[in-house]
Coordinates of all heavy atoms in Angstrom, one line a residue:
T34 N -0.9 -43.6 109.5 CA -0.7 -44.0 110.9 C -2.0 -44.0 111.7 O -2.4 -44.9 112.4 CB 0.3 -43.1 111.6 OG1 1.5 -43.2 110.9 CG2 0.6 -43.5 113.1
Q35 N -2.8 -42.9 111.6 CA -4.0 -42.7 112.3 C -5.1 -43.8 111.9 O -5.8 -44.3 112.7 CB -4.7 -41.3 112.0 CG -3.9 -40.2 112.6 CD -4.4 -38.8 112.1 OE1 -5.2 -38.7 111.2 NE2 -3.8 -37.8 112.6
K36 N -5.1 -44.2 110.6 CA -6.1 -45.1 110.2 C -5.5 -46.6 110.1 O -6.2 -47.5 109.7 CB -6.6 -44.8 108.8 CG -7.3 -43.4 108.7 CD -8.6 -43.5 109.6 CE -9.3 -42.2 109.6 NZ -10.5 -42.2 110.4
D37 N -4.3 -46.7 110.6 CA -3.7 -48.1 110.7 C -3.6 -48.7 109.3 O -4.0 -49.9 109.1 CB -4.4 -49.0 111.7 CG -3.5 -50.2 112.1 OD1 -2.3 -50.0 112.0 OD2 -4.1 -51.2 112.4
I38 N -3.2 -47.9 108.3 CA -3.0 -48.4 106.9 C -1.5 -48.3 106.7 O -0.8 -47.3 107.1 CB -3.7 -47.4 105.9 CG1 -5.2 -47.3 106.2 CG2 -3.4 -47.8 104.5 CD1 -5.9 -46.2 105.6
K39 N -0.9 -49.2 105.9 CA 0.5 -49.1 105.6 C 0.7 -47.9 104.7 O -0.1 -47.7 103.8 CB 0.9 -50.4 104.8 CG 1.0 -51.6 105.7 CD 1.5 -52.8 104.9 CE 1.6 -54.0 105.9 NZ 1.9 -55.2 105.1
T40 N 1.8 -47.2 104.9 CA 2.0 -46.0 104.1 C 2.2 -46.3 102.7 O 1.7 -45.6 101.8 CB 3.3 -45.2 104.6 OG1 4.4 -46.1 104.7 CG2 3.0 -44.5 105.9
K41 N 2.8 -47.4 102.4 CA 3.0 -47.8 100.9 C 1.6 -48.1 100.3 O 1.5 -47.8 99.1 CB 4.0 -49.0 100.8 CG 3.4 -50.3 101.2 CD 4.5 -51.4 100.9 CE 3.9 -52.8 101.2 NZ 4.9 -53.8 100.8
T42 N 0.7 -48.6 101.0 CA -0.7 -48.8 100.5 C -1.3 -47.4 100.2 O -1.9 -47.3 99.1 CB -1.5 -49.6 101.5 OG1 -0.9 -50.8 101.7 CG2 -2.9 -49.9 100.9
L43 N -1.2 -46.5 101.1 CA -1.8 -45.2 100.9 C -1.2 -44.5 99.7 O -1.9 -44.0 98.8 CB -1.7 -44.3 102.2 CG -2.3 -42.9 102.1 CD1 -3.0 -42.6 103.4 CD2 -1.3 -41.9 101.7
F44 N 0.1 -44.5 99.6 CA 0.8 -43.9 98.5 C 0.5 -44.6 97.1 O 0.4 -43.9 96.1 CB 2.3 -43.8 98.7 CG 2.6 -42.8 99.8 CD1 3.4 -43.2 100.9 CD2 2.2 -41.5 99.8 CE1 3.7 -42.3 101.9 CE2 2.5 -40.6 100.8 CZ 3.3 -41.0 101.9
Y45 N 0.3 -45.9 97.2 CA -0.1 -46.6 96.0 C -1.4 -46.2 95.5 O -1.6 -45.9 94.3 CB -0.1 -48.1 96.3 CG -0.4 -49.0 95.1 CD1 0.5 -49.2 94.1 CD2 -1.6 -49.7 95.1 CE1 0.2 -50.1 93.0 CE2 -1.9 -50.6 94.0 CZ -1.0 -50.7 93.0 OH -1.3 -51.6 92.0

Side-chain angles (χ1 to χ4, degrees):
T34 303
Q35 289 168 357
K36 296 296 177 181
D37 199 28
I38 302 165
K39 290 183 179 172
T40 52
K41 72 178 186 177
T42 302
L43 183 139
F44 290 126
Y45 181 73

